[in-house]
Amino acid sequence: MTNYENLPLYAVNVKVFVKVGLIDSIGWTKRFLFCLIPIITYVGQIIHIFKSWNEDMGETSMNLHILLLKTHCLVRLWLMVKKPKDFERFFQCVEQWYRDIERNGDPQMVGTLKEITKRTQLLSKMTIYVAAGGTIAAFFYPLSFDRRKHMITVQYPFVDALQTPFFEFLFLLQVLCLAPIILVLTLPFTNIYLISLMFGELVLKDLCVKLRNIRSENEETMLQEFKKCIAYHQKIIALCDDLQDLLSMDGFFHVALFGMMLCMLLFFLSMIHDLRLILTILTFVSYTTYMLFTTYYYANNLATESLEVANAAYDTPWYRGNLEMRKCVITMIARCQKPLQMKAGGLYPMTMETFQAILRVSYSYFSLLQGLSQQ
């Protein structure tokens, strides 16, 4: 069993990916079976949307939203399958860093580390409850209709998905296998991203504490301590670059798809009067908005905290140091003028301003669709 699998910071989130064989796995059987079911369902859903495009615009918009959600899940699945070793190395780096702060860190930072660990464990518990509730909802939602209906409507050539025994087989396959797979790719994956951002913010705070603790009267000692802080800062930058490389593509699809997903949900909501469907759509809208908000909130916190390093460097007694010390301080301050930003696809900075822009674009799409439907 790997050390990072038992890291309290990530709680059960990393263990889930280990158990299903997406990381830390030699064999490919688990990984193949985990990928097969979403792909088969995705193909069947595309066929259904293509064949029922002109039947009901509201139903089509709901199907498109689910298709976009599945697309995002498949992007995450592709990232996990493509870069399992990169994820493992990242988790190992975080695990070693976590243990180092736990053993040798400043008492203030050790207390902050414990507080963040408690928050992440609470987040993980909430994930378990949401996953259990989502699985139960996935089972009862199709049963609440008078006609036969799957959780995700699909069609396949030469097969009637609503006839026995295909209906029962697909129903159980979606509820017992597909729903947990979607929840795994949505909740633990997002939790790992959020926890990694929180840890990045923590080590930046640790760097600021180290800089402000430089108080030696000896010029050479002060210079050596400051150079250690520079190396520590470089290590933080490398950690953020690794996180960026791992999840940049996921962030891009999040930005690209979220506007359309929210637009489809709002459009479908404006066309239905069934209370059951209205509550379902409102739940989707709330959940999707919350997940995007929390991701951009913690990414924004990381960028803000990275700018604070410049203030901490200026707070050092550089005026008592030698010329090399002063040059090092100027270099660090200059480097910190550019924040450590996570970028979606390497293009869009993940800040609260970008989050607001996405909401505005989503509402613009919705207004356009609603106007076209009323003509």
Side-chain angles (χ1 to χ4, degrees):
M1 184 174 290
T2 53
N3 292 330
Y4 61 78
E5 186 179 347
N6 294 318
L7 185 64
L9 186 70
Y10 285 115
V12 300
N13 296 291
V14 173
K15 287 184 178 181
V16 169
F17 289 113
V18 173
K19 294 300 182 184
V20 299
L22 291 180
I23 59 174
D24 195 31
S25 176
I26 300 176
W28 57 270
T29 306
K30 283 186 178 180
R31 197 174 300 170
F32 174 76
L33 293 176
F34 194 85
C35 299
L36 183 62
I37 296 174
I39 293 174
I40 292 176
T41 308
Y42 189 76
V43 172
Q45 191 177 5
I46 292 177
I47 295 174
H48 171 72
I49 292 176
F50 179 77
K51 289 186 176 181
S52 61
W53 184 263
N54 297 321
E55 293 180 3
D56 186 342
M57 186 174 291
E59 186 71 21
T60 300
S61 64
M62 183 61 182
N63 289 332
L64 282 174
H65 164 261
I66 298 176
L67 182 68
L68 293 173
L69 176 63
K70 285 283 300 299
T71 302
H72 191 201
C73 289
L74 288 176
V75 169
R76 290 182 166 184
L77 183 59
W78 177 75
L79 287 174
M80 296 295 296
V81 172
K82 182 183 178 184
K83 302 179 178 181
K85 298 299 180 183
D86 294 336
F87 276 97
E88 291 172 25
R89 282 193 294 268
F90 180 81
F91 294 143
Q92 289 170 355
C93 176
V94 172
E95 191 272 336
Q96 294 171 1
W97 208 332
Y98 180 95
R99 300 301 182 190
D100 184 62
I101 294 176
E102 196 175 41
R103 289 190 300 265
N104 309 316
D106 182 87
Q108 176 186 348
M109 294 312 303
V110 173
T112 305
L113 181 65
K114 292 180 179 179
E115 180 183 347
I116 289 180
T117 301
K118 289 181 181 179
R119 286 165 53 191
T120 58
Q121 289 175 347
L122 177 61
L123 183 67
S124 300
K125 289 180 181 178
M126 291 175 58
T127 297
I128 294 174
Y129 297 145
V130 172
T135 305
I136 294 173
F139 178 78
F140 285 104
Y141 173 74
L143 299 179
S144 64
F145 289 84
D146 295 332
R147 65 185 188 280
R148 284 189 167 188
K149 185 175 179 62
H150 290 116
M151 181 184 70
I152 296 178
T153 307
V154 294
Q155 291 187 40
Y156 295 102
F158 314 112
V159 172
D160 188 347
L162 297 180
Q163 295 296 321
T164 303
F166 303 110
F167 171 78
E168 290 79 5
F169 173 75
L170 292 174
F171 180 87
L172 293 175
L173 185 70
Q174 290 186 9
V175 172
L176 299 179
C177 299
L178 182 64
I181 289 174
I182 292 176
L183 289 171
V184 164
L185 293 172
T186 303
L187 299 174
F189 194 100
T190 302
N191 283 350
I192 288 173
Y193 196 8
L194 296 180
I195 292 169
S196 300
L197 292 172
M198 293 166 66
F199 184 77
E201 183 183 354
L202 170 72
V203 293
L204 284 169
K205 291 180 183 291
D206 188 30
L207 174 59
C208 291
V209 171
K210 291 180 182 296
L211 286 167
R212 293 190 169 104
N213 284 342
I214 297 177
R215 288 292 180 264
S216 176
E217 296 294 334
N218 185 280
E219 291 183 357
E220 285 300 322
T221 302
M222 188 188 306
L223 177 61
Q224 293 303 317
E225 290 179 358
F226 196 86
K227 285 185 175 181
K228 289 181 180 179
C229 290
I230 292 177
Y232 195 81
H233 188 217
Q234 189 61 43
K235 185 179 177 182
I236 295 173
I237 294 174
L239 178 76
C240 294
D241 288 343
D242 289 342
L243 185 62
Q244 172 75 24
D245 291 339
L246 287 175
L247 301 175
S248 174
M249 188 60 65
D250 173 72
F252 174 76
F253 277 90
H254 214 166
V255 171
L257 298 178
F258 178 81
M260 291 185 286
M261 289 168 63
L262 188 57
C263 168
M264 294 298 177
L265 287 174
L266 293 175
F267 182 67
F268 184 54
L269 187 63
S270 67
M271 300 185 65
I272 60 176
H273 304 285
D274 189 335
L275 180 61
R276 169 188 52 197
L277 293 177
I278 290 174
L279 292 176
T280 302
I281 298 303
L282 288 176
T283 302
F284 275 136
V285 170
S286 302
Y287 171 77
T288 307
T289 307
Y290 169 76
M291 296 300 286
L292 191 73
F293 169 78
T294 51
T295 303
Y296 276 67
Y297 173 77
Y298 285 113
N300 188 79
N301 286 352
L302 177 71
T304 303
E305 192 61 39
S306 68
L307 295 174
E308 183 60 27
V309 175
N311 296 329
Y314 184 78
D315 289 341
T316 60
W318 53 267
Y319 46 84
R320 296 205 304 264
N322 54 27
L323 181 60
E324 186 178 1
M325 170 73 175
R326 297 177 187 182
K327 288 182 178 179
C328 288
V329 171
I330 293 173
T331 301
M332 176 170 272
I333 292 176
R335 179 183 291 179
C336 294
Q337 298 309 301
K338 183 179 180 181
L340 294 177
Q341 288 183 333
M342 294 291 107
K343 291 186 178 181
L347 301 173
Y348 306 102
M350 298 178 68
T351 61
M352 296 309 294
E353 289 78 10
T354 305
F355 172 73
Q356 294 171 3
I358 294 173
L359 292 182
R360 288 195 296 269
V361 170
S362 299
Y363 186 76
S364 299
Y365 290 161
F366 163 68
S367 300
L368 177 63
L369 274 179
Q370 195 173 37
L372 292 174
S373 67
Q374 292 174 354
Q375 291 179 359

